[in-house]
Amino acid sequence: MILFPAIDLKDGQCVRLKLGDMEQATVFNDDPAAQAKSFEDQGFEYLHVVDLNGAFAGESVNGAAVEAILKTVSFPVQLGGGIRTLAHIESWLDRGLARVILGTVAVRNPELVKEAAKKWPGQVAVGTDAKQGMVAVEGWAETSELSVIELAKRFEGAGVAAIIYTDIDRDGVLAGINWDSTLELARSTSIPVIASGGLASMDDIERMTRPEYQVLEGAISGRALYDGRIDSREALARLRAA
């Protein structure tokens, strides 16, 4: 079980949004590379990064901040937000990114995702962000008519490395992950699922150690790590002992 610390980038800074609203952003660090290094020093083994501006713009906007992170840390980094072409994917992987996360393009152009997963095995993940079970796109600004499970089934057997499932209604408000929906998704697909959106406390960490949750690859934590609701070293120790 991997615990992924999250760095969400807005205007070159580390922020956390509330319910996916760009107007409700709290700045936690104005030096993303330093924040990434801090997470690495705490013992995390994988970093989750989102280019929030890029998700809305449809292209990388915080590229300089991401490159600074890649030059500063040695642990693997996955990135989502505005990556929508094969050229974008190749460019980021060539710069040292371990894994790209494709969200909007997974809805708009699933064949591109399948082609990418075949071309770069193990390095392409799908970001599934949902409002009331339906997939949202364009930086969460639009909701599609596609359910989370329907989207996952599109990529069954395509070589996608993981599905990152975010319940937007839980994101950034410390309400706890939507475990029921997350586990339902994980049991419906052979693709590894990573939980995101709302990881709130050490109780959530304890829950992740239970046998029925081992179907998940891991979970992403943002605000709860930044404000100390989750003790990183204790959380990592518990998960490794499970």
Side-chain angles (χ1 to χ4, degrees), residues 118-166:
K118 184 176 180 180
K119 188 172 184 179
W120 296 287
Q123 294 186 283
V124 175
V126 169
T128 305
D129 305 328
K131 289 184 178 180
Q132 297 179 339
M134 306 306 287
V135 178
V137 295
E138 306 293 346
W140 300 354
E142 300 177 23
T143 303
S144 74
E145 296 183 358
L146 196 65
S147 77
V148 170
I149 291 176
E150 286 171 337
L151 183 67
K153 290 188 181 301
R154 276 187 177 182
F155 301 109
E156 196 70 42
V160 169
I163 293 175
I164 297 159
Y165 173 59
T166 304

Side-chain angles (χ1 to χ4, degrees), residues 37-226:
K37 182 60 176 171
S38 173
F39 283 140
E40 185 174 45
D41 291 345
Q42 290 171 49
F44 290 99
E45 297 176 354
Y46 215 121
L47 179 66
H48 175 78
V49 180
V50 178
D51 181 346
L52 294 172
N53 301 104
F56 283 92
E59 60 184 9
S60 296
V61 175
N62 289 286
V66 177
E67 288 187 12
I69 289 171
L70 292 173
K71 291 175 182 176
T72 302
V73 300
S74 58
F75 63 171
V77 178
Q78 63 183 21
L79 172 69
I83 303 173
R84 299 187 186 170
T85 68
L86 292 175
H88 279 164
I89 296 167
E90 185 168 31
S91 174
W92 276 120
L93 295 179
D94 285 347
R95 280 181 273 181
L97 204 67
R99 189 154 70 185
V100 298
I101 304 165
L102 306 179
T104 295
V105 73
V107 176
R108 305 277 197 237
N109 189 357
E111 293 307 313
L112 184 146
V113 177
K114 293 175 183 178
E115 183 179 350
K118 184 176 180 180
K119 188 172 184 179
W120 296 287
Q123 294 186 283
V124 175
V126 169
T128 305
D129 305 328
K131 289 184 178 180
Q132 297 179 339
M134 306 306 287
V135 178
V137 295
E138 306 293 346
W140 300 354
E142 300 177 23
T143 303
S144 74
E145 296 183 358
L146 196 65
S147 77
V148 170
I149 291 176
E150 286 171 337
L151 183 67
K153 290 188 181 301
R154 276 187 177 182
F155 301 109
E156 196 70 42
V160 169
I163 293 175
I164 297 159
Y165 173 59
T166 304
D167 184 332
I168 297 170
D169 294 324
R170 304 287 187 105
D171 191 68
V173 296
L174 299 167
I177 281 176
N178 186 337
W179 292 113
D180 290 343
S181 294
T182 303
L183 291 176
E184 182 184 10
L185 173 62
R187 292 173 183 136
S188 73
T189 178
S190 64
I191 304 170
V193 171
I194 299 168
S196 176
L199 194 73
S201 67
M202 293 302 293
D203 287 342
D204 283 327
I205 298 297
E206 189 280 327
R207 184 189 295 254
M208 289 164 59
T209 66
R210 300 174 192 170
E212 61 267 33
Y213 290 84
Q214 299 307 302
V215 68
L216 300 174
E217 180 176 278
I220 294 167
S221 181
R223 187 178 291 269
L225 282 175
Y226 287 100

Side-chain angles (χ1 to χ4, degrees), residues 6-25:
I7 290 180
D8 287 359
L9 298 169
K10 180 177 183 282
D11 305 332
Q13 300 175 309
C14 297
V15 306
R16 297 302 296 168
L17 302 185
K18 184 177 181 180
L19 301 175
D21 184 351
M22 288 286 274
E23 300 303 315
Q24 298 190 68

